[in-house]
Amino acid sequence: MKRAVRRSVVIGSAVAVLVGYAALDAADLAPGILTTRPLPPPPPTATPGTRTLPVVPQPTPSTSVGMPLGSLAEDGAAPSPAALRERLASVLGLPALSLASLVVRDGQTGTVLLDERGAEPQVPASTTKLLSAAAIGQVFGPNDVLTTKVVGGSSAGSIILVAGGDSLLAPDQGNPASVDGHAGLGDLAAQVADALRRSGTTKVTVSVDLSYAPGPLLAPTWSASFRPDGITGAVAMLGRADQRAVPGRPGPADPVAGTVDAFLAQLRKHGITASRASVAHSLAPLDARVLGSVDSAPVLDQLGLALTESDNALIEILARQAAFRSGAQTSFGDVGTWVVKRVAALGLDIQGVALSDASGLSRENRVTALLLTDLLAKGYDGRHAALRLAIEGMPIAGLTGTLEDRYLSGTAHAAAGRVRAKTGTLTGANALAGSVVDDDGRLLVFAGLVPKAGMADARAALDGFVTALASCGCRA
């Protein structure tokens, strides 16, 4: 009975991996139907908030795979380790993978089917975010939000903008249907202006309270070029959605200053004469009157966005808050150490694992491929809501996030819509960790950490590795 329940949970969890192909099939861009029998849903592990991620765009012919997937396989249909290795032989011989750590597990049982240097600590790059997501999800519940508020100051005509961890504020009105820009500074200003007018106040000075989850803006182990190049934004507990950093378009050096400027402008639009206080930072009085507040999208939706788009600053912001709420210190290194401890609390082997940040930008980070696959396998067993939500945020091959432009042509095209994985890219360190449903309908979990190879060669080798898994089956 226990085995049957486990099978039902895993099959239901695998539906998240199949969402990419389901979109293709539903849009009549791939023939056939996804499965020949209904799949039981997993037992509920949490009551989710209103989900807005992952956002899967309408598929195009370029992302349509050639054949429909079959039914999900039963317990007895696990691939044979020997047959799997035989199928992967040509890929494993690629020069780019000569020093790589490669692990494949059966997603249904957790059994290791392939282990090539899986216990060797490697630079994980952005696959670090999977560990951070597991830690963040242990602190924040599915309905938890981040509140930005304004309170009255200690002197007449002074008000304080209190940072609450939302770095995705809209500069004007918020959009309740969106994760970034969910809460708006314009909406906050409207509330504050109304409260001020009721008390007869039309002129104020504004300071900001940054006492929540304080810490440095940039990590000492990061390259000095990362922020100017848009690889990451500054890590602050108050920021705007329209100032998010993307490669080639950097965010501001001081996100808080830009957010305060936008708030001042919104107050003026609502008839309040507003200026910066002579002392920019202050602590809100404990008994301060709340003049207005706005709530972010659920934190776990923000986490999904961070994973899908590999947003380095956002995952650091969320991890720092989670560590702060747990009573830990909030330097980048302290948060990394806290993440590792939280992963260990899940009963996973952290031998050789060390983190200097939560995003994976630090070259001092070390993670094993065995740990990544163990973490992913736990996410699919249906008993860990936070890990399930983290998996939902991973990009889908050929459709979303950092996998949107991969698996679109050549032999790798066969895996489009069937792979859900977190990418990782640093110079000389490339990674891919996630899951795929093979041709026999079996869910496989994998991780590949590739050191000392060029990005193009490493990426092609990893994509070839995953494509071989997708087309395998490999039963004895």
Side-chain angles (χ1 to χ4, degrees):
M1 177 66 180
K2 183 176 180 181
R3 182 179 180 86
V5 171
R6 175 178 174 81
R7 180 173 68 242
S8 297
V9 169
V10 175
I11 292 174
S13 302
V15 174
V17 183
L18 296 174
V19 67
Y21 190 88
L24 304 179
D25 194 2
D28 292 328
L29 294 174
I33 58 175
L34 182 60
T35 181
T36 58
R37 67 180 189 279
L39 300 175
T45 51
T47 302
T50 301
R51 298 297 295 167
T52 53
L53 278 176
V55 176
V56 180
Q58 289 296 314
T60 65
S62 67
T63 59
S64 178
V65 295
M67 293 293 291
L69 298 177
S71 302
L72 291 174
E74 300 293 340
D75 277 353
S80 155
L84 181 69
R85 179 174 288 277
E86 181 179 356
R87 177 63 62 90
L88 293 172
S90 61
V91 178
L92 296 177
L94 293 173
L97 300 182
S98 62
L99 300 175
S101 295
L102 301 167
V103 173
V104 180
R105 289 180 188 265
D106 177 42
Q108 208 156 311
T109 65
T111 302
V112 175
L113 303 174
L114 177 80
D115 182 351
E116 292 284 309
R117 296 171 289 275
E120 183 176 329
Q122 304 269 24
V123 178
S126 277
T127 57
T128 300
K129 293 180 177 68
L130 294 175
L131 279 67
S132 298
I136 293 165
Q138 294 178 56
V139 176
F140 288 102
N143 297 311
D144 287 341
V145 297
L146 306 175
T147 300
T148 305
K149 64 183 179 180
V150 175
V151 302
S154 56
S155 60
S158 68
I159 63 174
I160 303 170
L161 177 61
V162 182
D166 190 355
S167 64
L168 301 177
L169 290 159
D172 196 339
Q173 290 184 317
N175 179 0
S178 179
V179 176
D180 56 338
H182 184 91
L185 291 169
D187 301 320
L188 180 60
Q191 296 177 39
V192 173
D194 185 56
L196 289 172
R197 279 192 295 268
R198 287 199 306 267
S199 66
T201 303
T202 58
K203 184 177 181 179
V204 295
T205 60
V206 180
S207 58
V208 61
D209 183 340
L210 297 176
S211 59
Y212 173 70
L217 297 176
L218 300 170
T221 57
W222 293 351
S223 167
S225 67
F226 282 170
R227 194 205 64 78
D229 289 344
I231 303 301
T232 183
V235 178
M237 297 300 117
L238 186 67
R240 288 162 37 190
D242 61 320
Q243 293 185 328
R244 287 175 66 199
V246 297
R249 193 188 71 200
D254 184 358
V256 173
T259 306
V260 172
D261 286 342
F263 179 63
L264 291 172
Q266 289 296 327
L267 282 177
R268 294 170 191 141
K269 281 176 60 176
H270 287 86
I272 302 297
T273 301
S275 60
R276 288 178 177 270
S278 56
V279 178
H281 298 166
S282 59
L283 289 175
L286 293 177
D287 59 350
R289 181 167 71 103
V290 177
L291 303 174
S293 67
V294 289
D295 292 335
S296 72
V299 171
L300 296 184
D301 282 358
Q302 293 198 30
L303 177 60
L305 177 65
L307 290 170
T308 300
E309 299 188 0
S310 204
D311 189 317
N312 295 299
L314 183 54
I315 199 81
E316 294 284 358
I317 289 165
L318 298 178
R320 180 179 292 177
Q321 293 181 66
F324 179 78
R325 292 182 179 212
S326 300
Q329 297 298 307
T330 53
S331 72
F332 285 90
D334 287 328
V335 172
T337 299
W338 173 82
V339 167
V340 175
K341 289 179 179 178
R342 284 288 183 160
V343 170
L346 294 171
L348 304 180
D349 184 1
I350 59 168
Q351 184 174 357
V353 176
L355 298 181
S356 294
D357 68 14
S359 60
L361 288 179
S362 175
R363 293 183 178 278
E364 295 183 4
N365 292 344
R366 294 295 183 272
V367 172
T368 66
L370 278 171
L371 173 60
L372 289 171
T373 56
D374 205 358
L375 189 65
L376 289 164
K378 268 194 179 297
Y380 280 112
D381 73 7
R383 293 176 293 176
H384 297 274
L387 294 179
R388 283 279 308 282
L389 290 167
I391 287 170
E392 288 177 13
M394 292 194 301
I396 302 169
L399 288 173
T400 62
T402 53
L403 287 181
E404 182 179 9
D405 60 350
R406 292 167 68 169
Y407 299 91
L408 295 180
S409 61
T411 57
H413 181 58
R418 298 168 58 179
V419 179
R420 188 158 221 157
K422 182 71 199 74
T423 58
T425 306
L426 290 172
T427 303
N430 291 268
L432 191 65
S435 59
V436 61
V437 176
D438 72 15
D439 278 351
D440 283 344
R442 194 73 176 188
L443 177 70
L444 303 179
V445 170
F446 63 86
L449 302 174
V450 181
K452 300 180 180 179
M455 183 184 73
D457 290 342
R459 179 175 292 186
L462 286 169
D463 288 352
F465 173 71
V466 175
T467 301
L469 292 178
S471 62
C472 186
C474 301
R475 301 181 190 181

